[in-house]
Amino acid sequence: MTPPKIHPSDKKPRRLAGLRRALGVPDNAPFIGPMLLIAGVGLALVGGYGYAAGWLSPQRLSPTQITTAFNRNFGAHPGFRRNHAKGVCVIGDFEGNGNAAQFSEATVFGARTTPVIGRFAIPGGNPEIADASSPVRSMALLFQLSNGEQWRTGMNNTPMFIVKDPKGFYDQLLASRPDPDTGKPDPARMKAFFESHPETAAFRRWVAAHPPSSSLANGAYYSINAFKLIAAGGAERYVRWAMVPEKAYAPVASPPPKDPGFLQQDLAQLLQQGPLRWHLMLTLAQPGDVTDDATQSWPADRTVIDAGTLTLKRAVTQDDGPCRDVNFDPLVLPHGIAASNDPLLAARSGAYSKSFNLRTREEANGANGAGAAIAAAHPTTREE
């Protein structure tokens, strides 16, 4: 039997009906108007982030310039992140205790358990770089909230950042480009960079006085940037956070272990013995505290709240682990947490997005075999 022909004018209502069902919108609810409003708000937000980061002007930096600079500094490694290329996935949960619920309506701060996917990483675009190549390590987390929202955060083991804006970060990448003859940055170029960016002094002093921890498990990790907590009644409070370990800090050995993957190997061994825990500590700003400059710390007397416990239970290779395809964009925030006016946030979001699109395209074109080669060379990153 020949199926009845559908007139073109009938297709639009049927498509809308299908879209209503997919989105769970009742048949009698208004649809086109709200969808257009949502689209307009979304475009405005994207445009705002782009303007804040400087992506919308040809005279300003772009995500492509940032990712290209990483490639020039570390070489091309298709299928990997342009920064923090070497890492390992972790799986666990976050047990909120309700202490921060008065400051934010985000459900993660309630007295409940939230599943977490995370990643520890070493800075740089080379996935085979030695763990001891930098004093900086990172912890990135994705909280899957019970209402379907996500909170993504990328933290470093330093409480401040080296520069205050995207231009400074790009200048640092240019200055630290390895000399072809030595394989190391030119000391004269680095000296000129530090002199032209005096805000780097606080970061350099802190790193000199705080040796990195001997393990990924006994180090603290900081949000660096400020964010805004929004309470159910609308009250707002700026905040920075840190994941503080229950495991006692110990400095890395001097000289550090020769094994280029000693941090990942240690993490795997510790997780075989049992879960690892950190406490989410929220530092509340006072009026007048700087919220748009990640190089400036807040006074030590600020109120700090223990908002709950992060428990990590397993480590999985990043080749096939759940963190592989996650873009840990710091602007993926649930209701109750909002971005501050720090220009680094929009810049990070733009560069992360560009890196994610590049590496997923490369994987689709067959570059995903590179990850298997790295895993074979470093078997301790596999699931333990």
Side-chain angles (χ1 to χ4, degrees):
M1 180 178 178
T2 303
K5 293 184 178 180
I6 299 176
H7 191 275
S9 62
D10 294 332
K11 294 181 179 179
K12 183 176 180 181
R14 295 191 180 193
R15 287 197 299 267
L16 288 177
L19 188 56
R20 283 178 180 274
R21 287 193 296 274
L23 297 176
V25 178
D27 292 339
N28 60 347
F31 186 73
I32 297 296
M35 289 298 289
L36 290 175
L37 177 61
I38 291 170
V41 171
L43 288 173
L45 288 173
V46 171
Y49 291 148
Y51 177 80
W55 305 148
L56 301 185
S57 168
Q59 288 76 39
R60 296 185 179 185
L61 280 171
S62 71
T64 298
Q65 287 175 281
I66 297 291
T67 54
T68 298
F70 272 106
N71 276 353
R72 288 173 179 165
N73 284 16
F74 296 98
H77 299 278
F80 288 94
R81 299 167 198 259
R82 270 33 186 186
N83 190 17
H84 299 282
K86 183 180 183 180
V88 58
C89 299
V90 286
I91 300 168
D93 57 52
F94 176 75
E95 190 75 28
N97 55 26
N99 291 343
Q102 61 179 310
F103 299 102
S104 173
E105 61 180 338
T107 60
V108 69
F109 294 127
R112 66 185 70 207
T113 301
T114 300
V116 173
I117 293 169
R119 185 174 185 268
F120 287 104
I122 304 298
N126 181 357
E128 297 185 89
I129 199 167
D131 287 353
S133 62
S134 170
V136 179
R137 297 91 175 261
S138 71
M139 171 195 275
L141 300 173
L142 182 157
F143 299 77
Q144 186 60 60
L145 278 60
S146 58
N147 60 0
E149 295 181 318
Q150 290 185 358
W151 174 25
R152 305 187 191 186
T153 177
M155 299 167 284
N156 283 351
N157 63 332
T158 60
M160 74 282 291
F161 201 56
I162 189 169
V163 291
K164 64 182 180 181
D165 55 34
K167 178 61 165 57
F169 185 64
Y170 185 65
D171 290 344
Q172 181 194 6
L173 285 173
L174 296 182
S176 60
R177 184 172 300 167
D179 185 297
D181 295 329
T182 66
K184 298 179 179 180
D186 181 347
R189 266 205 320 255
M190 290 303 300
K191 182 174 183 293
F193 164 74
F194 290 135
E195 289 176 347
S196 64
H197 291 276
E199 77 274 15
T200 64
F203 176 90
R204 289 183 284 142
R205 284 194 301 268
W206 193 92
V207 169
H210 297 81
S213 61
S214 59
S215 168
L216 294 171
N218 64 357
Y221 300 88
Y222 305 87
S223 69
I224 298 176
N225 307 107
F227 291 81
K228 186 188 298 182
L229 298 186
I230 304 172
E236 299 179 349
R237 191 75 177 265
Y238 282 103
V239 66
R240 286 173 173 162
W241 55 75
M243 283 292 180
V244 178
E246 289 189 353
K247 196 171 181 63
Y249 162 83
V252 68
S254 182
K258 294 182 179 179
D259 182 351
F262 78 94
L263 287 174
Q264 291 190 17
Q265 182 177 358
D266 172 76
L267 179 70
Q269 292 174 346
L270 289 172
L271 286 171
Q272 283 183 332
Q273 300 168 19
L276 298 169
R277 294 181 176 84
W278 285 258
H279 289 261
L280 176 59
M281 310 300 291
L282 306 178
T283 299
L284 303 179
Q286 291 292 339
D289 287 344
V290 175
T291 59
D292 62 353
D293 186 345
T295 67
Q296 296 191 37
S297 299
W298 294 342
D301 62 354
R302 295 299 180 253
T303 299
V304 179
I305 297 172
D306 184 340
T309 304
L310 170 70
T311 301
L312 298 182
K313 302 174 182 178
R314 287 194 295 151
V316 188
T317 172
Q318 66 176 1
D319 299 349
D320 52 11
C323 74
R324 186 194 70 174
D325 296 327
V326 176
N327 169 10
F328 290 98
D329 183 340
L331 292 182
V332 177
L333 301 167
H335 291 293
I337 308 176
S340 68
N341 50 352
D342 188 330
L344 287 173
L345 285 171
R348 289 175 63 190
S349 179
Y352 289 8
S353 176
K354 180 66 177 180
S355 173
F356 179 82
N357 290 336
L358 287 170
R359 66 187 176 89
T360 51
R361 186 183 306 124
E362 290 160 355
E363 288 177 354
N365 291 334
N368 54 343
I374 298 302
H378 303 283
T380 55
T381 64
R382 294 193 176 279
E383 181 173 347
E384 298 292 342

